Amino acid sequence: MNFQLTEEHLAVRDAAREFTQSELLPGVIERDTEARFPKEQIQKMGELGFMGMMVDPKYNGGGMDTISYVLAMEEISKIDASASVSMSVNNSLVCWGLEKYGTEEQKEKYLKRLATGEILGAFCLSEPEAGSDATSQRTEARLEGDHYVLNGTKNWITNGSSASVYLVIAQTDASKGHKGISVFIVEKGWDGFIIGKKEDKLGIRGSDTHSLMFNDVKVPVENRIGFEGFGFTFAMETLNGGRIGIAAQALGIAAGAYELALAYSKERKAFGKPISQHQAIQFKLADMATQIEAARMLVYKAAWLKDQGEDYAHASAMAKLYASEVAMNVTVEAVQVHGGYGYVKEYHVERLMRDAKITQIYEGTSEIQKIVISRGILR
Ligand code: CAA
């Protein structure tokens, strides 16, 4: 076993850390307040190679491993989880699925631009009545000659209005259950494709979350990914990797809040000494640090398994389940350490606490992760 990061890993982590301080930290409170998408910042993240980190360089990606990706996700999430969810969806839900299962033409046309961040991608699985129960897709795609006709509604789509390319999961044969689900590449601007309302959210308020409507949208057959009926497997496999990204996001949110609480505890005085010298605060810091380290081990292990070509579905579910729980616990405690200051925007921890909650919900709720884990155990 070797717990040491390589020089390359450390360089990625340092580059991400530097970027967050110079580009993401300024304005993060205002973007959250105004629910404003970090457009310029995401563009710069693309220029620095953060939007297609694991994509093969022949498709303009960074050719990096999953460990590098989680290190960058962790750093970026410490400062701005709205930017990091956009990064996570583009890297692990859109680029990964296209690279693994797309045709050469699809990769040339879409992946090359997604990997540089020139354009953004979105992953469209959830529907008003199909969240956790992802097999209950109502969106349907009907084959008519050389194209499909797409109809339906998708909900809570990250990068909803900022994306240019959408991977849309839809029913092609309802009689076949999950084996009758397919996946298509849909471009923004196609006739009948409507970007619906923007969600007003508790956290990750800078992230651009929309509902989407498809009214008789014509999708060329060559825009289907894989064979007809492959869509559900595609979604599940893609989410196995996506969950590593969200676990890293949760880890970053927790670590960011912890670092703020630690620094504050050394500055703030009460009863004649810094509060870090009171055991009540010391024990909180000890619990936070221990939970974060345990979450980090699960996240890195899931990433490492993926890099080794091993099965990582179980590990990624465990990492997401635990890291998101830690994100919630640690951010609540970080607010508590800050006392009254923790409850106001200026000190960042209240935002991190609000941001943490979504990591227990998207890309599979904690309850869904427990289904995946228990099925793995009992198989
Ligand atoms: N990896 C690979 N394959 C999987 C899988 C996994 N994790 N989970 C299920 N499958 C496969 C099964 O092996 C099965 O395949 P076969 O028929 O070939 O054997 C098939 O999928 C159907 O599986 P189940 O019978 O287990 O299906 P189910 O309906 O009982 O439950 C579920 C499946 C695990 C609950 C699934 O519906 C699920 O993961 N739901 C959560 C959906 C989700 O994560 N949504 C997030 C939305 S995306 C998002 O949030 C993105 C964003 O913008 C941030």
Side-chain angles (χ1 to χ4, degrees):
M1 285 192 91
N2 182 0
F3 284 99
Q4 218 155 18
L5 295 170
T6 64
E7 289 295 320
E8 290 78 22
H9 291 146
L10 293 172
V12 170
R13 190 175 70 182
D14 290 347
R17 200 171 277 175
E18 223 167 89
F19 174 78
T20 59
Q21 292 304 314
S22 62
E23 304 288 341
L24 284 176
L25 186 57
V28 66
I29 294 174
E30 292 73 16
R31 290 195 299 275
D32 170 73
T33 305
E34 295 159 20
R36 182 157 38 86
F37 183 68
K39 187 164 183 259
E40 290 149 33
Q41 291 79 0
I42 298 272
Q43 239 157 22
K44 287 191 184 147
M45 282 163 67
E47 285 158 22
L48 288 171
F50 289 126
M51 298 308 280
M53 291 183 72
M54 295 168 290
V55 174
D56 191 316
K58 79 174 174 194
Y59 300 116
N60 297 339
M64 287 180 228
D65 59 11
T66 317
I67 300 276
S68 303
Y69 169 58
V70 299
L71 288 168
M73 275 296 297
E74 184 181 338
E75 289 305 318
I76 290 170
S77 306
K78 282 181 185 175
I79 305 297
D80 189 345
S82 296
S84 73
V85 68
S86 194
M87 170 178 162
S88 178
V89 166
N90 202 69
N91 274 277
S92 41
L93 294 186
V94 180
C95 287
W96 185 85
L98 261 177
E99 182 167 16
K100 176 118 175 139
Y101 292 112
T103 62
E104 222 30 64
E105 292 70 31
Q106 290 168 348
K107 292 181 202 177
E108 280 294 320
K109 191 167 177 192
Y110 300 110
L111 181 60
K112 280 187 158 179
R113 288 193 295 149
L114 286 161
T116 59
E118 180 195 331
I119 57 170
L120 274 182
F123 182 80
C124 313
L125 173 66
S126 302
E127 298 188 353
E129 288 174 71
S132 291
D133 183 8
T135 47
S136 299
Q137 295 286 306
R138 295 260 174 97
T139 298
E140 60 156 32
R142 203 176 55 250
L143 185 60
E144 285 187 5
D146 63 353
H147 63 267
Y148 286 85
V149 179
L150 188 66
N151 278 290
T153 302
K154 295 289 175 182
N155 261 25
W156 310 294
I157 304 303
T158 302
N159 297 338
S161 73
S162 307
S164 302
V165 170
Y166 299 75
L167 303 189
V168 182
I169 319 292
Q171 194 66 254
T172 38
D173 185 347
S175 68
K176 292 188 180 155
H178 72 269
K179 292 194 189 307
I181 290 172
S182 305
V183 54
F184 303 93
I185 307 167
V186 177
E187 293 180 30
K188 183 195 254 164
W190 282 357
D191 274 355
F193 177 13
I194 296 163
I195 314 261
K197 84 167 161 72
K198 181 176 171 181
E199 300 296 347
D200 188 6
K201 308 189 296 294
L202 171 74
I204 56 161
R205 289 179 53 75
S207 123
D208 164 35
T209 314
H210 283 258
S211 54
L212 306 173
M213 272 81 77
F214 304 96
N215 298 326
D216 290 333
V217 178
K218 278 187 175 181
V219 183
V221 169
E222 63 264 25
N223 273 34
R224 192 185 65 224
I225 302 177
F227 57 88
E228 205 174 90
F230 178 62
F232 194 73
T233 305
F234 176 88
M236 290 299 110
E237 287 199 8
T238 306
L239 281 164
N240 287 336
R243 288 165 186 164
I244 299 177
I246 299 304
Q249 180 188 46
L251 169 64
I253 293 171
Y258 163 74
E259 286 171 14
L260 289 168
L262 178 63
Y264 180 82
S265 72
K266 292 178 185 167
E267 283 163 18
R268 174 73 173 168
K269 290 198 175 70
F271 306 102
K273 54 185 179 184
I275 59 169
S276 62
Q277 289 180 28
H278 292 289
Q279 198 177 55
I281 300 298
Q282 289 170 348
F283 280 14
K284 282 190 194 301
L285 293 170
D287 282 340
M288 290 156 97
T290 307
Q291 288 174 18
I292 289 168
E293 198 52 24
R296 186 171 282 127
M297 291 300 107
L298 283 176
V299 176
Y300 291 8
K301 167 123 186 257
W304 179 83
L305 283 171
K306 183 163 176 279
D307 287 336
Q308 302 308 306
E310 306 265 348
D311 186 354
Y312 53 91
H314 191 80
S316 73
M318 280 186 171
K320 181 180 179 291
L321 173 68
Y322 188 70
S324 60
E325 199 173 294
V326 168
M328 220 43 247
N329 292 344
V330 167
T331 54
V332 167
E333 286 296 74
V335 170
Q336 194 68 16
V337 169
H338 280 77
Y341 290 109
Y343 207 64
V344 297
K345 290 188 186 295
E346 196 185 331
Y347 285 77
H348 298 281
V349 284
E350 65 81 34
R351 185 186 73 256
L352 292 167
M353 185 180 87
R354 288 186 284 107
D355 288 349
K357 184 60 202 168
I358 192 61
T359 64
Q360 294 183 308
I361 298 173
Y362 58 20
E363 300 206 21
T365 60
S366 295
E367 291 73 16
I368 291 295
Q369 306 313 321
K370 288 181 192 178
I371 291 179
V372 175
I373 296 163
S374 56
R375 281 182 184 173
I377 294 167
L378 296 167
R379 192 168 43 216

